[in-house]
Amino acid sequence: MRFEIVKCHGSGNDFPLIDARGIALDDAQWPVVARALADRRGAVGGDGLLVLQENHGLLRFRMWNSDGSEAETCLNGVRCVARMAFERLGIDRATLHLMRSTVEVAREPDLAPGVYTVGEVAGPAGLDVNEWPLHGEGHEIVARPIARLDPVLAFTAVAMPNPHLVAFVDAIDEAALVRIGTICEAAPDWLPNRANVSFVRVLGPEAIFVRTFERGVGLTDSCGSAMAASAFAAALTGRTEFAREVMVRNKGGLVMARAEGDGMVALRGNATWEWEGAVSVDPATGIAGDLIVARHFNTEIAAWAAVAEASAAA
């Protein structure tokens, strides 16, 4: 199988992206493609695979993690898929249909010179952990410990719509984050569908820093739905304010987020192209090869690098 791809990223969350509107693969084949293309030891590498599809006139977003599992959403990836739809269909706004929800997307003024920017509105955030499911902790978890994860850390559980456990900390202990994320990644009986785990530092009334262990990926520089869930959890617990835009920083860069009291979260962030080309995937071995890069987007890469450097220094 040979695919035309764009290598892209949203806030440092990087992916191969395929326009699959004319591609007929079944749900057993896409995970093979995802594992092959996202394998960082292989020809391309990434945090997962993004796919733009169309079904009866409806634009569809799908995302597979690097382990081949399909995610309910990926808000950094949504912006990249939205950009592809905008450019190839000649539009500047759309509704993308995800696994269990929809998200409104629109072209926005550039966050910084040369940084292609997309706005998205996702939600509503869900607080009922029985829907994940997460067993044995009641219906809601807001700013309280989960003994099976840690006896001290206080978590807030938010579905966006994929499940997130958010803990606000004074300093980010990556070893502890990996330990807790690994427990969730093992899919214990009480958390069969796993969960993303984020440690969040409050930098001020209008800024937070998020570090995430993402299910199916591991420790990641950026996770869009984690940033949205963390922004909502910060407002819910009184650390920031609802209806006030905050800067959400991470190791990959930043997004701007505004959480509302009804659970909706608006994000503004980049959708940056790095290169485009073509690659083959052997369905028998699940290995990607014969990569040809047709074009690098050096101006975009440099524009985002300036934003990420400024964010890291702030």
Side-chain angles (χ1 to χ4, degrees):
M1 298 181 285
R2 190 152 182 85
F3 301 94
E4 301 290 328
I5 66 171
V6 173
K7 185 65 185 299
C8 58
H9 78 83
S11 193
N13 211 179
D14 68 318
F15 311 93
L17 165 61
I18 296 174
D19 182 349
R21 289 175 297 154
I23 297 175
L25 288 183
D26 62 35
D27 284 354
Q29 293 173 301
W30 279 117
V32 176
V33 175
R35 287 190 294 268
L37 295 184
D39 186 350
R40 294 197 182 275
R41 302 164 299 178
V44 180
D47 286 330
L49 171 67
L50 303 177
V51 170
L52 170 66
Q53 295 179 332
E54 189 170 7
N55 186 17
H56 301 294
L58 300 178
L59 293 175
R60 190 177 183 197
F61 163 96
R62 297 183 75 180
M63 185 268 186
W64 284 267
N65 294 311
S66 57
D67 68 352
S69 60
E70 188 170 5
E72 293 93 336
T73 188
C74 168
L75 295 182
N76 286 328
V78 160
R79 298 196 304 277
C80 295
V81 172
R83 175 178 176 175
M84 177 172 276
F86 295 165
E87 293 188 348
R88 299 197 174 182
L89 297 175
I91 57 179
D92 61 10
R93 61 181 58 248
T95 300
L96 293 182
H97 293 258
L98 283 59
M99 182 192 292
R100 297 175 185 166
S101 62
T102 60
V103 59
E104 302 299 322
V105 291
R107 179 77 163 93
E108 295 281 350
D110 291 353
L111 281 173
V115 175
Y116 191 105
T117 301
V118 174
E120 53 190 327
V121 179
L127 296 177
D128 186 352
V129 298
N130 288 326
E131 295 181 358
W132 295 19
L134 191 162
H135 301 297
E137 297 289 340
H139 289 280
E140 294 185 1
I141 303 169
V142 178
R144 65 177 175 84
I146 300 174
R148 288 171 287 195
L149 296 179
D150 190 276
V152 176
L153 283 174
F155 291 94
T156 296
V158 180
M160 204 66 218
N162 47 348
H164 290 270
L165 293 168
V166 178
F168 293 92
V169 297
D170 295 328
I172 293 175
D173 181 340
E174 288 194 355
L177 177 58
V178 169
R179 176 182 61 79
I180 293 169
T182 301
I183 294 172
C184 295
E185 186 73 359
D189 291 344
W190 55 274
L191 188 63
N193 293 323
R194 307 177 293 169
N196 304 281
V197 182
S198 293
F199 284 3
V200 182
R201 287 180 56 224
V202 177
L203 306 177
E206 296 181 342
I208 60 176
F209 182 92
V210 179
R211 192 80 168 111
T212 300
F213 188 100
E214 185 176 1
R215 63 175 182 170
V217 177
L219 196 62
T220 180
D221 284 350
S222 181
C223 174
S225 59
M227 292 188 286
S230 297
F232 180 79
L236 182 68
T237 58
R239 291 172 168 85
T240 59
E241 296 180 12
F242 284 118
R244 184 174 185 175
E245 191 170 65
V246 300
M247 179 183 292
V248 184
R249 291 169 46 197
N250 56 53
K251 282 201 168 184
L254 61 89
V255 298
M256 303 301 296
R258 187 183 68 252
E260 303 289 351
D262 63 359
M264 303 304 291
V265 179
L267 298 180
R268 293 189 297 122
N270 73 304
T272 298
W273 281 183
E274 295 184 322
W275 53 264
E276 62 183 359
V279 66
S280 296
V281 174
D282 183 339
T285 64
I287 296 175
D290 192 20
L291 172 67
I292 297 176
V293 176
R295 177 186 177 190
H296 285 93
F297 295 84
N298 293 323
T299 301
E300 288 195 39
I301 293 169
W304 180 254
V307 171
E309 183 178 356
S311 176

